Amino acid sequence: SVHLEKNSVAKFFTFEADRSYRFEIEGKREDWGAPTITEETLRKIAGVGAEFAIFVQNKDAPARRVERGEIVDLTQPGIERFYVQHIIKVHVENEENGASFDLEGFEQTLLKTLFEEMYKKLGVTRQPDDRLRCEEGGGDVFGFAELTLREYIERGNCKCLVWLFAGGTGGASCR
């Protein structure tokens, strides 16, 4: 039942179906009239924008991120549990070639995980004399590998989250 008050707006979804599917999003149970649901619709139901990622946890399976534009199957046994997490972006400037890119993480992401992703994007293997510095203040970032992004930020490290990468040889080779 729904109580419609004067001067209020109520929104409803309607379906041409004789079956409903249940899922949970941010702890709230929802009934859905189709066997699938889009990432965009989940985002609308959760009331979040592009600065958040949506994750799904199915029965006996690890949680996974729902990708942009993905259609999620609700017909699997059990109730799908969706939750959102704020995306934390770290900007990386490659001082070797001037290229730059963003890394995405979450509060619980370990910095060493971001370092691995950074090296994949750089297309190089980590070398002992590589340098990764915070743009503001120039402090070393590699020394915080075991911290989560949340811990790194809470300790006041690199508030702007812009990292400067340089290989140890600075692009030179010794042949």
Side-chain angles (χ1 to χ4, degrees), residues 13-19 31-34 36:
F13 289 103
T14 61
F15 299 92
E16 291 184 26
D18 62 352
R19 183 170 177 196
D31 287 304
W32 193 248
T36 61

Side-chain angles (χ1 to χ4, degrees), residues 4-106:
L4 300 175
E5 296 180 21
K6 190 176 183 179
N7 299 327
S8 69
V9 176
K11 294 182 180 182
F12 299 91
F13 289 103
T14 61
F15 299 92
E16 291 184 26
D18 62 352
R19 183 170 177 196
S20 68
Y21 301 85
R22 285 203 172 128
F23 64 88
E24 194 175 279
I25 188 159
E26 289 294 286
K28 183 180 173 200
R29 281 240 167 135
E30 297 283 346
D31 287 304
W32 193 248
T36 61
I37 190 166
T38 65
E39 174 266 343
E40 179 183 12
T41 301
L42 288 166
R43 192 172 291 287
K44 286 179 184 175
I45 292 170
V48 297
E51 68 279 8
F52 287 85
I54 298 177
F55 290 82
V56 62
Q57 172 78 53
N58 289 24
K59 184 180 178 184
D60 300 327
R64 69 170 186 81
R65 186 173 179 174
V66 176
E67 298 300 326
R68 297 279 181 180
E70 182 178 342
I71 298 172
V72 179
D73 180 5
L74 298 175
T75 63
Q76 302 304 310
I79 295 176
E80 288 77 15
R81 287 178 169 75
F82 297 95
Y83 60 93
V84 299
Q85 288 192 10
H86 186 260
I87 297 169
I88 301 172
K89 290 191 178 186
V90 176
H91 187 73
V92 177
E93 297 279 340
N94 183 349
E95 293 184 320
E96 301 283 308
N97 61 15
S100 65
F101 53 87
D102 289 333
L103 300 171
E104 289 187 354
F106 305 95

Side-chain angles (χ1 to χ4, degrees), residues 90-136:
V90 176
H91 187 73
V92 177
E93 297 279 340
N94 183 349
E95 293 184 320
E96 301 283 308
N97 61 15
S100 65
F101 53 87
D102 289 333
L103 300 171
E104 289 187 354
F106 305 95
E107 287 187 350
Q108 74 279 11
T109 303
L110 290 173
L111 263 59
K112 68 181 177 184
T113 303
L114 290 177
F115 300 161
E116 291 168 8
E117 183 65 26
M118 178 187 75
Y119 276 102
K120 283 180 191 173
K121 288 190 176 205
L122 290 168
V124 298
T125 305
R126 184 170 178 178
Q127 300 301 312
D129 53 353
D130 286 349
R131 296 179 312 274
L132 187 62
R133 301 175 292 114
C134 173
E135 182 181 55
E136 71 182 87

